Amino acid sequence: MDTMINATGFPAKEYDNEVTGKGVIPAEVTITVKDKEVAQGLLELFRLGVERSNDMKKIEAYARGYNELSKAIKEAWGTGNGTRI
């Protein structure tokens, strides 16, 4: 049986090379969802973030997450979940 959701974390990495110099590749988490209802549940969390936050940067981030995930759900399963935020 496939898992319905899988998450993988990648820590930040520092680099230093002759061409680009020093820098940091930021940490990230990648989530793979294999169930439409689980994906729509994550979509709801983004919507709630937009509604409940008072920080404009966070609102913009949640709205972008909502729009990107909504688009991905439509591409994967052929249906979206409402309108764009």
Side-chain angles (χ1 to χ4, degrees):
M1 180 172 107
D2 288 336
T3 58
M4 293 191 309
I5 188 168
N6 185 29
T8 306
F10 301 94
K13 293 183 182 179
E14 293 183 8
Y15 62 87
D16 184 8
N17 66 49
E18 294 178 13
V19 177
T20 59
K22 292 184 178 184
V24 175
I25 299 171
E28 72 177 32
V29 173
T30 302
I31 298 174
T32 304
V33 179
K34 296 181 180 181
D35 182 89
K36 182 179 176 182
E37 288 183 29
V38 173
Q40 289 176 324
L42 289 172
L43 196 63
E44 179 69 8
L45 292 175
F46 281 117
R47 187 186 65 75
L48 290 173
V50 169
E51 289 179 0
R52 295 181 179 172
S53 181
N54 294 323
D55 181 337
M56 198 58 197
K57 279 189 162 185
K58 287 183 181 179
I59 291 170
E60 290 173 2
Y62 289 133
R64 181 175 178 143
Y66 180 95
N67 291 335
E68 292 295 321
L69 183 55
S70 181
K71 178 180 162 187
I73 289 170
K74 186 173 184 178
E75 290 172 357
W77 288 288
T79 58
N81 190 41
T83 58
R84 292 173 58 93
I85 293 179

